[in-house]
Amino acid sequence: MKLPSFIKNNTVLKITSLNSAVIVVRLVISLIVQHFLALIVKEAGIAKVGQLRNVLAMLTSFTTLGVFSGVVKYVSQYKTDQPTLQKLFSTSAVFALFGSVVSAIVLFVGADYFALTLLDDIGLSFLFKIIALTVPFIAIQRIFYAVINGLSDYKKYAKIELISYILATLVLLFGLFNYNITGVLVAIALGPIIQLIVLLLIFGGVLKEYAHFKELKFDLSFKNQLLAFTLMSFVSTILLNYVELDIRTVIKDKISVDEAGYWTAINFISKNYMVFSTGLFTLYVLPRFAAINNQVDFTKEVFHIYKTILPIFGVGMLLIYSFRDYIIQIIYPEFTGMSPLFKWQLLGDFARLAALVIAHQFLAKRMVKSFVITEIVSLASFYILSMILIKQFSTEGVVMAHFFRCVLYFFIVVIAVFYFYRNNQRH
């Protein structure tokens, strides 16, 4: 299918439109799955699914020691320099080996503890042992995804995302209808293996051109460059998911497991529409910012991205808010307590989207200090405000805290980037 000329001539729209087509299909499938989950496993089951997805998100970062954005940056920068790329891949492999071994040991040994603490069921300890065995697959597919993003191969990226999602969904539905919540959790744990198989089938040929696997060796040439991204990933991914795990536990303990399910459900909806921007960030924004070296071009690029995507997201969010009660009835028929959460979540996500565009400059320019400070301020403000507001506004207080921290995050990101360019001009 040919793209209209106004999209074809705009790289941001081209990536967004193709990515959006895939995500719309994913979203429809996902909504159907969530509907069945809500009917069969109820609020408590949804909360458990949220807990496990947070664990897997943390593993996605830790198993590679957070080198994803670093690999994206340096593949984009050195894609025509094979010797340098080989050093990058060798260092990444060492990081992934270390992260995978540590993760697998911790999960296997601590399986009983994690099952009881996170899922309130020691009988599910086998689940964490399964995840321990899938850890190498998580690490490998994460690095391979980084190569796809670094090469900006958005067509193959879209194909991999769609096919792997459909296959993972079929496995999840099989688990749901045959083994209830246990089957769902096992299916989620096996997801990374499915993703890796699909990725290798579609992208394996291209990977061989850039990464000569037989020539991989113990080489830490890129250690210092990648360690900066390790720190940034630890703050943004591991701390974020830890905070979400803790907040969900607080909601469950201080209010009810049903409310924890409502908050997990609104987060699920949020993450689904925010995924529309993920491909754009890694396939376009990060490589583009890495190539820009002055404030004028950076500002121009930011406004170009804003003019392209913010109106689209704004209209989409208004539609979601207007039809929120219908969305609840369709996806989560019995989750009527969710309705008040939409306003603050949507407002916060819009501010967050605007901030994330600029914040990718931190990754593009390895602004480690700025990245770490802004992320910690954002997460700390989210956690502290949640603990304060939850007392007066119940679960709605958590999404209010989300909005306030996103607005704060936007302003401190703008200030940090402004000072970065001002200091560079002095030098």
Side-chain angles (χ1 to χ4, degrees):
M1 185 179 75
K2 291 185 176 180
L3 294 172
S5 59
F6 75 94
I7 293 179
K8 190 181 291 186
N9 297 328
N10 186 317
T11 307
V12 177
L13 273 179
K14 190 158 62 174
I15 293 175
T16 303
S17 60
L18 184 61
N19 195 43
S20 296
V22 172
I23 292 171
V24 165
V25 176
R26 279 188 53 171
L27 186 59
V28 172
I29 296 171
S30 184
L31 296 181
I32 295 170
V33 171
Q34 286 294 307
H35 177 80
F36 286 124
L37 283 173
L39 289 176
I40 297 172
V41 304
K42 308 297 183 182
E43 292 89 344
I46 294 288
K48 285 183 179 179
V49 168
Q51 296 287 74
L52 186 61
R53 290 201 185 279
N54 281 132
V55 170
L56 287 174
M58 294 167 75
L59 285 173
T60 299
S61 175
F62 190 79
T63 52
T64 58
L65 300 187
V67 301
F68 177 83
S69 295
V71 175
V72 173
K73 171 182 167 60
Y74 293 117
V75 166
S76 174
Q77 188 173 336
Y78 297 112
K79 60 179 127 184
T80 58
D81 185 348
Q82 184 58 48
T84 303
L85 278 183
Q86 203 59 35
K87 291 178 181 178
L88 170 66
F89 294 140
S90 292
T91 306
S92 301
V94 174
F95 276 43
L97 179 63
F98 179 80
S100 297
V101 170
V102 172
S103 299
I105 291 172
V106 170
L107 284 168
F108 204 88
V109 173
D112 289 351
Y113 170 78
F114 292 126
L116 190 59
T117 304
L118 300 178
L119 303 178
D120 296 323
D121 185 356
I122 199 169
L124 291 172
S125 61
F126 76 92
L127 182 66
F128 290 92
K129 293 179 180 178
I130 291 175
I131 297 173
L133 297 176
T134 67
V135 156
F137 300 96
I138 296 173
I140 295 168
Q141 66 99 355
R142 186 64 172 165
I143 290 177
F144 288 172
Y145 259 108
V147 177
I148 298 174
N149 283 284
L151 297 173
S152 292
D153 197 339
Y154 55 88
K155 290 182 180 179
K156 281 191 171 66
Y157 176 89
K159 191 182 294 185
I160 293 166
E161 281 286 289
L162 182 59
I163 295 173
S164 61
Y165 188 79
I166 290 172
L167 291 175
T169 299
L170 291 174
V171 174
L172 188 148
L173 288 174
F174 175 83
L176 174 64
F177 290 121
N178 288 278
Y179 304 101
N180 205 285
I181 186 62
T182 302
V184 171
L185 297 176
V186 170
I188 293 172
L190 296 176
I193 297 177
I194 296 170
Q195 286 180 315
L196 179 59
I197 292 171
V198 174
L199 188 151
L200 289 174
L201 290 174
I202 294 175
F203 198 68
V206 179
L207 275 172
K208 289 179 183 177
E209 294 177 22
Y210 288 90
H212 300 159
F213 299 110
K214 292 182 180 179
E215 297 176 17
L216 291 176
K217 55 186 178 181
F218 190 86
D219 185 339
L220 294 174
S221 302
F222 267 83
K223 172 176 64 70
N224 292 335
Q225 294 95 319
L226 292 179
L227 279 174
F229 291 95
T230 297
L231 178 59
M232 290 190 281
S233 179
F234 173 78
V235 173
S236 65
T237 304
I238 295 179
L239 284 185
L240 169 63
N241 283 280
Y242 177 80
V243 166
E244 286 189 1
L245 281 168
D246 195 65
I247 289 175
R248 189 180 291 107
T249 302
V250 169
I251 295 172
K252 176 172 65 71
D253 293 342
K254 292 191 175 181
I255 307 174
S256 71
V257 69
D258 288 355
E259 289 289 330
Y262 298 154
W263 185 64
T264 303
I266 194 68
N267 268 319
F268 164 80
I269 293 172
S270 167
K271 286 173 182 176
N272 266 275
Y273 58 69
M274 289 300 287
V275 165
F276 279 84
S277 64
T278 303
L280 176 67
F281 288 147
T282 53
L283 291 165
Y284 179 82
V285 176
L286 185 54
R288 182 77 183 105
F289 283 2
I292 293 175
N293 294 306
N294 63 81
Q295 186 174 357
V296 173
D297 288 343
F298 174 77
T299 304
K300 190 183 297 182
E301 187 63 48
V302 168
F303 279 106
H304 170 61
I305 296 168
Y306 277 177
K307 286 188 294 184
T308 306
I309 66 168
L310 287 187
I312 298 171
F313 272 83
V315 171
M317 289 174 173
L318 282 173
L319 289 173
I320 290 172
Y321 182 73
S322 300
F323 294 100
R324 63 192 182 282
D325 291 331
Y326 294 104
I327 291 171
I328 294 171
Q329 288 175 20
I330 293 169
I331 310 173
Y332 303 104
E334 299 175 9
F335 287 39
T336 52
M338 279 179 62
S339 190
L341 308 182
F342 276 81
K343 176 176 66 177
W344 297 106
Q345 186 71 41
L346 289 163
L347 287 171
D349 285 342
F350 189 81
R352 180 166 162 252
L353 176 66
L356 284 175
V357 172
I358 301 174
H360 272 71
Q361 177 73 341
F362 300 152
L363 297 172
K365 301 303 182 190
R366 286 180 65 230
M367 298 166 60
V368 181
K369 185 177 178 180
S370 297
F371 183 93
V372 170
I373 291 173
T374 54
E375 284 290 326
I376 288 178
V377 169
S378 173
L379 288 172
S381 60
F382 179 42
Y383 186 80
I384 293 168
L385 286 171
S386 293
M387 295 303 106
I388 294 171
L389 295 174
I390 200 173
K391 295 176 182 177
Q392 185 174 351
F393 299 100
S394 189
T395 310
E396 190 174 357
V398 177
V399 285
M400 291 170 68
H402 169 68
F403 167 68
F404 294 135
R405 72 92 176 236
C406 287
V407 172
L408 174 64
Y409 181 61
F410 175 80
F411 284 111
I412 60 175
V413 163
V414 170
I415 292 169
V417 172
F418 170 78
Y419 276 104
F420 166 75
Y421 277 113
R422 196 177 78 164
N423 290 335
N424 275 9
Q425 286 172 354
R426 287 177 179 174
H427 296 97

